[in-house]
Amino acid sequence: MRRSRLALLLALLAVLPLGSAAPPGPAASAERPAWREAVLPRSGTTVTVADVVACSGGWYVTGRDGEGPAAWYSADGRTFTAVPLAPVTVYGPRHLLYSAACTGDRLAVLGAAPGGAHGKPRTSTWYLKGGTLAEKEAPVELFGGPREAGIFRITAGPGGFLVAGNHPGATAWLSADGVDFRLAPAEENRMAIDGAVLPDGWVLAGDEVWRSADGTKWTVEKAPVAVQRLAWGDGQLLAAGVIGRTFELWAASRGGAWRRLAAFGQVGGETPARVLALSTVPGGDVYLTTGSGTQLRLWRWRAGVITELVLPDPVNLRHEPGALLPLAAGPGQLAVASRDGRISFLSLASR
């Protein structure tokens, strides 16, 4: 029962409203790129991969090894080694490290494990300290307590780190260094799923979009889509979600109006469709992973054209509640992580 509550935290994106009906998007072309696979070392019988992130010094992957938290590092995307961990709370040794973000040489990670009488997630942040990923002990009321209603994603930029969630309304947790976070509530009775750190402020998104220069005063605007993933790249804010029976990708320049970049894919099946990950690369390319029906898919948006990139066999996993397909774009490479510990890399050298 307790594990099911943590799985529910990771699957809450599935309950977002789908919005009003929209005509099906145009059929996307498909490419079969050449993938290269890297396998994570493990100490337990099972490995769960929850996130992958490209940092200035290499690649980090986070999740769980056996029954405990785990993180792995690679300088080149070929050979991964386990990162030493330093849990400090009673729940830390059981955490799933489910969301990671970095800016420069700073890495911060969200971890959670079910606990207490009601089995609610016990959430902490972790940060890189001298090559060790250390858990940061925080007051129970900062991330948890009776007001907690979901802590979803961490993101980063030059201005620091933002955690998106609900406490109980749309809430951000902000940090300049990825170690000490402060509450920054945006609006009650609303839901925030993801966020972005802009050069001049912070953004939260879910059923609305909230912007703030300092995290103390937020302005709200209508979201172009029920946002499931948000990202900042190449001078524009990107939002992705589901409307009717298609996935949609939208963009807005800093302070500008939203414009639709693409409507694509076919939404169907018993499992609610979700945008699972969103990443950008310099030059304007956008990459997304989605789940619909029983299928997990990878897409690329480039200069107005949406293309499906056929996934390698190891990550052609079944889409189901709680399914994950994280991705990250780094220097010259795109990484897609399957939940069972396989990391597949695609060269982005040629355009």
Side-chain angles (χ1 to χ4, degrees), residues 114-262:
H118 301 288
K120 297 187 68 174
R122 297 301 194 256
T123 304
S124 298
T125 56
W126 298 64
Y127 65 99
L128 205 58
K129 181 180 180 181
T132 296
L133 194 60
E135 184 186 10
K136 172 66 175 180
E137 187 168 11
V140 172
E141 295 289 335
L142 180 63
F143 293 108
R147 293 172 58 81
E148 186 270 329
I151 314 297
F152 294 115
R153 295 261 305 153
I154 187 168
T155 188
F161 294 82
L162 179 150
V163 173
N166 302 279
H167 202 262
T171 302
W173 290 258
L174 308 178
S175 173
D177 57 8
V179 180
D180 297 304
F181 284 81
R182 63 180 175 91
L183 269 171
E187 185 176 355
E188 293 186 358
N189 302 317
R190 293 292 185 181
M191 176 177 285
I193 294 298
D194 208 349
V197 182
L198 276 57
D200 58 354
W202 316 88
V203 181
L204 274 176
D207 49 11
E208 303 286 357
V209 175
W210 299 266
R211 301 175 188 254
S212 177
D214 57 8
T216 60
K217 182 180 179 180
W218 297 84
T219 58
V220 62
E221 63 189 63
K222 181 177 176 60
V225 60
V227 180
Q228 297 177 334
R229 282 292 180 264
L230 191 73
W232 171 261
D234 263 22
Q236 61 182 354
L237 191 62
L238 297 161
V242 177
I243 294 183
R245 298 191 62 81
T246 60
F247 296 101
E248 294 206 356
L249 176 65
W250 291 71
S253 58
R254 194 183 309 177
W258 289 97
R259 64 191 187 282
R260 190 173 72 173
L261 299 182

Side-chain angles (χ1 to χ4, degrees), residues 14-61:
V15 302
L16 287 175
L18 298 183
S20 57
S29 59
E31 293 182 7
R32 294 184 177 273
W35 294 91
R36 174 181 55 79
E37 184 180 306
V39 179
L40 300 177
R42 63 181 66 192
S43 60
T45 57
T46 60
V47 163
T48 299
V49 171
D51 208 358
V52 57
V53 61
C55 301
S56 61
W59 302 83
Y60 286 93
V61 176

Side-chain angles (χ1 to χ4, degrees), residues 21 38-40 45 93 108 124 156-157 176 192 201 222 228 273 287 296 298 311 322 326-327 336 338 347:
V39 179
L40 300 177
T45 57
S124 298
K222 181 177 176 60
Q228 297 177 334
Y287 293 87
L296 298 173
L298 169 66
L311 292 164
L327 66 83
V336 178
S338 68
S347 174

Side-chain angles (χ1 to χ4, degrees), residues 294-329:
T294 61
Q295 293 184 315
L296 298 173
R297 288 179 167 177
L298 169 66
W299 310 86
R300 181 191 65 216
W301 181 90
R302 174 183 289 172
V305 177
I306 194 83
T307 302
E308 181 180 359
L309 304 179
V310 178
L311 292 164
D313 288 341
V315 294
N316 262 328
L317 304 178
R318 181 181 177 86
H319 178 229
E320 56 191 6
L324 302 171
L325 193 61
L327 66 83

